[in-house]
Amino acid sequence: MYETVAGRVEPVKLAACLLTVAPDLLLLEKAIFIGATERVASRLIAVRMPEAIVNARRRIARKNATKKGDTPSQAPLALMAWNLFITNVPPTVWTTATVTKVYPIRWQIELIFKSWKSYLHLAALTTTKEDSTLCYLYGRMLRILFNYALCPQTRATLWLQHQRELSLLKFARHFQALAASWLQAIFQSEFELYHFLQRACATAERLAAKASRKRRTTAQILQDEIRRPLESGAFATAVNA
């Protein structure tokens, strides 16, 4: 990570830079370059975190370091006061505020890939022959398709009835545990398969629900962002009527 200083390209001394930021400044954006040889123009965005979160981060860092007989240095402790984002998307496309809101959405995508790899075992090939490998992959991909076909309705029901979010990983693990029963239902009849899936989704509402928490979830943040322009449009229509 580099920056231009007096016409020269130098490495960014991030911790030292953030220590000089005024205490009342909650957000910092800096033009940087990524890459040692082929440098890509990027943006570094630092968001100051609340004191309670910073103290919790540092407490955990010191505890983990103590277990290893070590002491965390000042640079990592200083960085824990901030959330750091790097992107090469220009400000004309993503404002600074947008960058900070995109990260939770990106993490939801990472969870999808994790569910494919860790819970649906898409990458765990047990054969080296072409035909059996294709059968394995097609079977896994069908399971992924079935899981994500059932997920939206279960998520919507859980939210409407209990104001709880559905854990994608728990949902995948739940149906992984029911794989043998699912296979039996497929070979019995459409009626048996329908009732099996109905019971499985009902059970998932209880077993795959995320724990309740006080802070707003990613889904709630997205809903607020979608609702805001809709409400502004409705307000403008009412004023101009």
Side-chain angles (χ1 to χ4, degrees):
M1 186 164 59
Y2 302 87
E3 64 179 333
T4 303
V5 180
R8 301 189 309 274
V9 176
E10 298 181 355
V12 176
K13 298 178 181 179
L14 188 54
C17 173
L18 293 176
L19 285 173
T20 63
V21 177
D24 59 340
L25 188 63
L26 303 181
L27 188 145
L28 172 71
E29 179 164 346
K30 193 177 187 66
I32 60 170
F33 297 93
I34 298 294
T37 54
E38 297 183 7
R39 298 192 176 107
V40 178
S42 304
R43 302 156 61 196
L44 169 67
I45 297 170
V47 181
R48 193 187 295 274
M49 300 306 294
E51 186 177 356
I53 293 178
V54 177
N55 291 338
R57 288 177 176 179
R58 290 172 176 170
R59 186 165 56 250
I60 293 172
R62 290 189 178 99
K63 182 178 179 180
N64 291 337
T66 300
K67 289 180 180 179
K68 299 177 182 179
D70 199 2
T71 302
S73 62
Q74 290 301 313
L77 292 176
L79 293 177
M80 290 176 191
W82 302 82
N83 273 357
L84 304 173
F85 306 90
I86 295 177
T87 180
N88 64 346
V89 179
T92 53
V93 178
W94 279 357
T95 64
T96 304
T98 299
V99 172
T100 62
K101 293 174 182 176
V102 164
Y103 182 79
I105 305 173
R106 177 186 173 276
W107 177 244
Q108 299 306 308
I109 298 172
E110 294 292 335
L111 290 179
I112 292 174
F113 291 134
K114 182 176 181 179
S115 71
W116 291 3
K117 182 178 179 181
S118 301
Y119 293 89
L120 299 176
H121 309 295
L122 183 61
L125 292 175
T126 57
T127 177
T128 56
K129 295 182 178 180
E130 181 179 355
D131 291 342
S132 52
T133 297
L134 287 175
C135 287
Y136 180 90
L137 290 175
Y138 286 145
R140 294 295 173 183
M141 291 173 72
L142 281 171
R143 284 195 51 213
I144 290 172
L145 178 63
F146 287 145
N147 269 272
Y148 289 98
L150 297 170
C151 190
Q153 182 60 45
T154 308
R155 176 185 285 119
T157 302
L158 184 62
W159 181 259
L160 290 173
Q161 294 183 355
H162 305 287
Q163 294 295 294
R164 298 275 294 280
E165 284 193 31
L166 184 71
S167 167
L168 190 60
L169 298 182
K170 289 181 180 179
F171 189 80
R173 186 168 54 201
H174 171 62
F175 276 93
Q176 167 70 14
L178 297 174
S181 301
W182 195 341
L183 185 62
Q184 291 177 359
I186 289 175
F187 285 104
Q188 289 178 5
S189 66
E190 292 181 7
F191 178 82
E192 288 296 331
L193 178 60
Y194 173 80
H195 282 280
F196 164 77
L197 294 177
Q198 199 174 41
R199 292 192 301 271
C201 288
T203 307
E205 293 174 16
R206 177 171 52 86
L207 297 179
K210 289 184 179 180
S212 298
R213 56 185 183 181
K214 294 181 180 179
R215 67 182 179 88
R216 292 193 305 162
T217 63
T218 301
Q220 289 172 316
I221 294 172
L222 291 175
Q223 287 168 358
D224 289 345
E225 291 300 314
I226 293 171
R227 190 181 301 115
R228 190 173 294 115
L230 293 176
E231 290 175 348
S232 299
F235 177 76
T237 301
V239 169
N240 296 326

